[in-house]
C-alpha cells in the first residue's frame, strides 16, 4: 500500500487529501482486526464491539464511517442489573406520580360530592324551617282571625239587670220593646217589686190576681211565656218577657202601654 509522502501530500488537491485519509483509516482498521484473536470470529457476525466502534470513531475524529459499522444506540447496549434497577425506579416513580394524580382527583371529586350533599342538606333544612315558620304564622293568623266566642254576658241582680237581660231575649225572639218603655210600665205597675201582687182589682175578685213586676195574671203568663225563661211568674226576667210578648200582640209594643192593660 502506497502512502504519499508528507511533501507530496500537501501538494494534492482537497478531494485527493480526503481519499488518502480514508485509505489510511481503512488501513488502521485492517491492522486492528488483524490483532483480534481468532476466537473472536464468532463475534464478527454479531453486532460490532465497542472497541471496533472506538477505532472507527478515532479514525474520523469521533465520527462513524458512513460505509462502516454504525454507532451503537444506548438501547442496544447490554442490559445490566444497574440499568434495569434505574429503569424500574423510573417506572415506579412514574406510576407513583400517576397514582398520586388519580388519588387527588378522587379526593377532589369526593370533596365536591360532600360539598353538594352538605349544600343540599342545608337547603332542605332551610326549606323545612321556612315551611314551619310559615305554618306557624298561618296558624297564628287563623287563630287571630277566627271568631272568638263571646264571653257570657252577666247581668246584675237588680231592676236594671233584669230589664237588660229581658231585652236580649226579646231581641233574639223578634219581640219589640225598649228599655224606657219597659222601665216606665214597671214603675207604674209594681214600683220595681218582683213579688208585688194585686189583691183588690177585678182579677183578684175573680181569683186570678195580677203578679210580678208587670202585674201579669197567671193565664196570660202561661199563654205568652217565652221559651228559655223560667216558668215562675215571680221570676223578674220571665215576667217582663211574657208581659212584653203579650203587649206586642195586643198593642204593638210595651212602649205603647200607658195604663192598665
Amino acid at each position: 500500500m502506497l502512502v504519499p509522502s508528507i511533501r507530496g501530500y500537501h501538494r494534492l488537491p482537497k478531494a485527493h487529501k480526503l481519499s488518502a485519509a480514508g485509505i489510511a483509516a481503512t488501513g488502521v482498521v485492517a491492522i486492528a482486526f488483524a490483532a483480534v484473536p481468532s476466537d473472536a470470529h464468532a463475534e464478527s457476525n454479531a453486532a460490532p464491539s465497542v472497541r471496533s466502534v472506538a477505532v472507527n470513531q478515532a479514525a474520523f475524529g469521533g465520527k462513524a464511517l458512513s460505509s462502516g459499522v454504525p454507532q451503537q444506540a444506548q438501547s442496544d447496549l447490554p442490559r445490566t442489573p444497574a440499568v434495569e434497577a434505574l429503569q424500574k425506579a423510573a417506572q415506579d416513580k412514574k406510576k407513583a406520580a400517576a397514582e398520586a394524580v388519580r388519588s387527588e382527583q378522587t379526593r377532589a371529586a369526593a370533596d365536591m360530592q360532600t360539598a353538594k350533599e352538605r349544600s343540599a342538606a342545608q337547603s332542605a333544612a332551610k326549606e323545612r324551617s321556612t315551611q314551619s315558620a310559615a305554618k306557624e304564622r298561618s296558624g297564628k293568623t287563623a287563630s287571630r282571625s277566627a271568631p272568638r266566642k263571646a264571653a257570657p254576658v252577666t247581668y246584675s241582680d237588680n231592676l236594671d239587670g233584669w230589664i237588660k237581660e229581658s231585652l236580649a231575649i226579646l231581641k233574639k225572639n223578634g219581640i219589640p220593646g225598649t228599655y224606657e218603655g219597659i222601665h216606665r210600665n214597671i214603675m207604674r205597675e209594681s214600683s220595681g217589686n218582683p213579688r208585688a201582687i194585686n189583691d183588690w182589682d177585678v182579677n183578684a175578685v175573680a181569683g186570678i190576681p195580677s203578679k210580678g213586676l208587670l202585674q201579669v195574671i197567671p193565664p196570660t203568663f202561661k199563654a205568652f211565656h217565652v221559651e228559655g225563661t223560667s216558668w215562675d211568674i215571680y221570676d223578674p226576667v220571665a215576667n217582663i218577657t211574657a208581659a212584653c210578648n203579650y203587649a206586642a200582640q195586643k198593642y204593638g209594643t210595651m212602649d205603647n202601654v200607658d195604663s192598665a192593660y
Side-chain angles (χ1 to χ4, degrees), residues 109-140:
D111 290 345
M112 184 178 296
Q113 182 65 25
T114 302
K116 287 182 179 180
E117 292 175 355
R118 186 183 301 112
S119 177
Q122 291 176 350
S123 298
K126 185 177 180 180
E127 181 66 20
R128 288 194 299 270
S129 177
T130 302
Q131 291 178 354
S132 178
K135 185 177 181 180
E136 184 177 354
R137 287 195 301 270
S138 177
K140 289 181 178 179

Side-chain angles (χ1 to χ4, degrees), residues 79-104:
R79 295 178 62 86
T80 65
V83 173
E84 292 178 352
L86 289 174
Q87 292 177 343
K88 186 176 185 305
Q91 291 175 355
D92 292 343
K93 185 176 181 180
K94 184 176 180 181
K95 288 180 180 179
E99 184 64 28
V101 170
R102 286 195 298 270
S103 178
E104 181 64 21

Side-chain angles (χ1 to χ4, degrees), residues 65-238:
L65 286 172
S66 59
S67 59
V69 179
Q71 184 179 5
Q72 284 183 315
Q74 183 178 359
S75 59
D76 294 334
L77 294 176
R79 295 178 62 86
T80 65
V83 173
E84 292 178 352
L86 289 174
Q87 292 177 343
K88 186 176 185 305
Q91 291 175 355
D92 292 343
K93 185 176 181 180
K94 184 176 180 181
K95 288 180 180 179
E99 184 64 28
V101 170
R102 286 195 298 270
S103 178
E104 181 64 21
Q105 291 176 344
T106 302
R107 187 188 64 78
D111 290 345
M112 184 178 296
Q113 182 65 25
T114 302
K116 287 182 179 180
E117 292 175 355
R118 186 183 301 112
S119 177
Q122 291 176 350
S123 298
K126 185 177 180 180
E127 181 66 20
R128 288 194 299 270
S129 177
T130 302
Q131 291 178 354
S132 178
K135 185 177 181 180
E136 184 177 354
R137 287 195 301 270
S138 177
K140 289 181 178 179
T141 303
S143 178
R144 287 194 298 267
S145 62
R148 296 180 179 179
K149 291 183 178 180
V153 180
T154 57
Y155 301 96
S156 57
D157 190 19
N158 54 31
L159 182 58
D160 179 74
W162 300 332
I163 295 175
K164 288 179 178 178
E165 186 175 355
S166 179
L167 282 171
I169 297 172
L170 292 172
K171 182 178 180 180
K172 184 178 179 181
N173 288 274
I175 301 171
T178 65
Y179 185 98
E180 189 280 330
I182 295 172
H183 185 272
R184 174 169 46 81
N185 280 283
I186 286 175
M187 296 308 293
R188 187 188 68 251
E189 294 291 336
S190 65
S191 300
N193 179 12
R195 304 299 297 183
I197 184 171
N198 187 323
D199 55 2
W200 55 268
D201 67 359
V202 64
N203 290 320
V205 172
I208 48 171
S210 302
K211 300 176 180 180
L213 290 173
L214 283 171
Q215 293 294 287
V216 182
I217 61 176
T220 302
F221 176 80
K222 184 177 181 180
F224 291 93
H225 173 266
V226 177
E227 187 69 26
T229 62
S230 171
W231 283 96
D232 181 4
I233 196 173
Y234 291 108
D235 180 84
V237 175

